[in-house]
Amino acid sequence: DSISNEPERRSSRSKKLILSHKEKSSRLLRHCSSWTQLQSRSTAYGQVLFAYVRFGTQLQSLSLRTNALHNPLSTPFNHVLSWLCQRRDYYTAASVALSLLDDADAVYDLRGISKTGDATGELSIHKGLIDGITPLCVDGRSSVTMTSLADMAVGCLIKGGAEMLNALEGFLLRNELYDASDTCLMLVGAATVAISQDTSFDQKLTEGQNIVTLLSSVESPKLETIWPVRCLLKMAVVRNCLRSTLLVLNAAIPNELRWRAPHRIGVVSTKRPSLGLFLALVGTILESSAEATRVLLDLLDEESGMPFWFSIEEDTRLALSLVSVHGKYV
């Protein structure tokens, strides 16, 4: 029976490998309720006007929000965040979410404000943003509601891209409300799309070339390509879910993690991912935690069924053997 089922298993694997990065990302994000809320059409129809008014040295904020349906006096935060994200105003959406969560440090990071000195005036600018949003009662806050708000804050920051990296990293390290599983899916989804847009060229050993020479000319990926993985690993360590996080990442980008071209039955293989991208991914993983090396080597390759080290090619092993992280080698 096991032999007769083998072709079926191979067929299933090949179908999974045919999925594009965008399709994989879409499937991951489909399981995140907070992300889908940010994507959905908001029911909070109306307009938002936000203005700064300066009186001498004092800077005041003014916000006006109209909502013609359901809640004439206030609007639920998820409707407001969805409305803003639909208009690609991720900065304001993230500011609203972080202000509702009372995360002053994240607001500082988002605005690029130094935490030294008196930044009270700068922080008060965001208080006007939450005017007109249904209040979250301090004593009666539902844990489900607060988790949903924190998850949507993560989603807004992810949508903001590399420009919001510092605010996102700090929030992931400090906040205890967001759901780690949903955050993992959102970041892996973002990483999958970012990696698919990597423009660095493929590098490979040519006849007579030394691996050391090749490594010396490696082009590192841009921050826009690698930032989701950086945030993902920091979240995985602080939430103690490194193993499950790497399983999801391994399923989403198996070829980039092994510096190999996608193998598709009946289709000419495409080029390998760039060596610089591969080294950056593995380096980010290994730098994240003392246990990361063991977890990485334990990963199984869905295509071959082999552990990580035996699923990579000879020149990939050579490259990894010559790269150290904090003075240690793989």
Side-chain angles (χ1 to χ4, degrees):
D1 289 340
S2 60
I3 296 176
S4 62
N5 289 334
E6 185 63 25
E8 182 178 345
R9 285 198 293 267
R10 288 179 180 174
S11 175
S12 176
R13 287 174 184 171
S14 65
K15 288 180 181 178
K16 291 180 181 179
L17 289 171
I18 290 175
L19 289 176
S20 68
H21 286 78
K22 187 175 181 179
E23 290 170 331
K24 288 182 180 179
S25 176
S26 178
R27 290 192 175 197
L28 287 170
L29 297 174
R30 199 179 302 162
H31 296 283
C32 304
S33 60
S34 297
W35 186 272
T36 56
Q37 285 187 70
L38 293 175
Q39 295 286 91
S40 65
R41 291 291 177 183
S42 173
T43 57
Y45 297 105
Q47 293 182 337
V48 173
L49 171 65
F50 186 76
Y52 295 126
V53 181
R54 182 176 295 279
F55 298 97
T57 60
Q58 298 296 318
L59 186 63
Q60 302 294 330
S61 61
L62 171 67
S63 64
L64 302 175
R65 184 177 296 106
T66 62
N67 183 17
L69 299 177
H70 304 305
N71 300 301
L73 298 179
S74 63
T75 306
F77 68 83
N78 56 315
H79 291 178
V80 175
L81 297 180
S82 174
W83 189 89
L84 290 167
C85 286
Q86 284 296 316
R87 286 149 184 78
R88 300 182 182 275
D89 190 354
Y90 306 130
Y91 178 85
T92 303
S95 298
V96 168
L98 296 173
S99 295
L100 287 170
L101 290 166
D102 293 326
D103 192 334
D105 287 337
V107 174
Y108 291 150
D109 290 337
L110 188 64
R111 288 180 55 80
I113 302 170
S114 172
K115 298 183 180 65
T116 59
D118 182 15
T120 305
E122 293 282 358
L123 183 59
S124 66
I125 292 174
H126 287 276
K127 294 303 181 183
L129 282 171
I130 60 177
D131 173 50
I133 298 177
T134 305
L136 300 172
C137 298
V138 177
D139 296 329
R141 287 182 176 180
S142 164
S143 60
V144 175
T145 300
M146 297 306 294
T147 295
S148 176
L149 175 57
D151 287 347
M152 293 186 82
V154 171
C156 293
L157 291 167
I158 290 175
K159 284 177 175 293
E163 293 181 0
M164 298 188 185
L165 172 61
N166 290 337
L168 177 57
E169 283 185 336
F171 183 79
L172 293 175
L173 294 176
R174 285 188 310 272
N175 190 274
E176 298 179 355
L177 296 171
Y178 67 84
D179 183 86
S181 297
D182 275 8
T183 298
C184 173
L185 293 177
M186 285 190 281
L187 284 169
V188 172
T192 304
V193 172
I195 286 171
S196 70
Q197 298 170 347
D198 178 45
T199 57
S200 52
F201 59 89
D202 174 37
Q203 291 172 291
K204 57 185 178 181
L205 281 173
T206 57
E207 186 176 353
Q209 187 180 23
N210 190 294
I211 185 66
V212 176
T213 305
L214 180 62
L215 289 174
S216 65
S217 61
V218 165
E219 178 185 353
S220 298
K222 296 179 180 179
L223 180 63
E224 288 77 5
T225 302
I226 204 69
W227 72 265
V229 177
R230 276 181 46 181
C231 292
L232 177 70
L233 270 297
K234 290 190 176 183
M235 182 281 297
V237 172
V238 76
R239 287 301 188 89
N240 194 28
C241 57
L242 181 62
R243 189 170 292 274
S244 59
T245 295
L246 287 184
L247 285 175
V248 177
L249 189 65
N250 181 54
I253 53 168
N255 298 312
E256 286 79 6
L257 284 177
R258 291 169 175 80
W259 190 35
R260 71 181 182 200
H263 297 293
R264 299 179 181 178
I265 298 176
V267 179
V268 177
S269 295
T270 57
K271 292 183 178 180
R272 286 172 124 182
S274 73
L275 177 57
L277 174 61
F278 162 70
L279 293 176
L281 289 172
V282 173
T284 302
I285 292 172
L286 299 183
E287 289 173 353
S288 65
S289 168
E291 66 169 330
T293 300
R294 174 46 52 196
V295 176
L296 175 66
L297 294 177
D298 286 343
L299 290 178
L300 292 179
D301 177 30
E302 187 180 65
E303 182 180 325
S304 66
M306 301 292 287
F308 180 82
W309 188 255
F310 298 101
S311 66
I312 58 179
E313 299 177 13
E314 183 63 28
D315 57 350
T316 309
R317 294 195 195 102
L318 286 173
L320 279 182
S321 298
L322 293 172
V323 175
S324 66
V325 177
H326 300 314
K328 296 182 179 180
Y329 293 87
V330 178

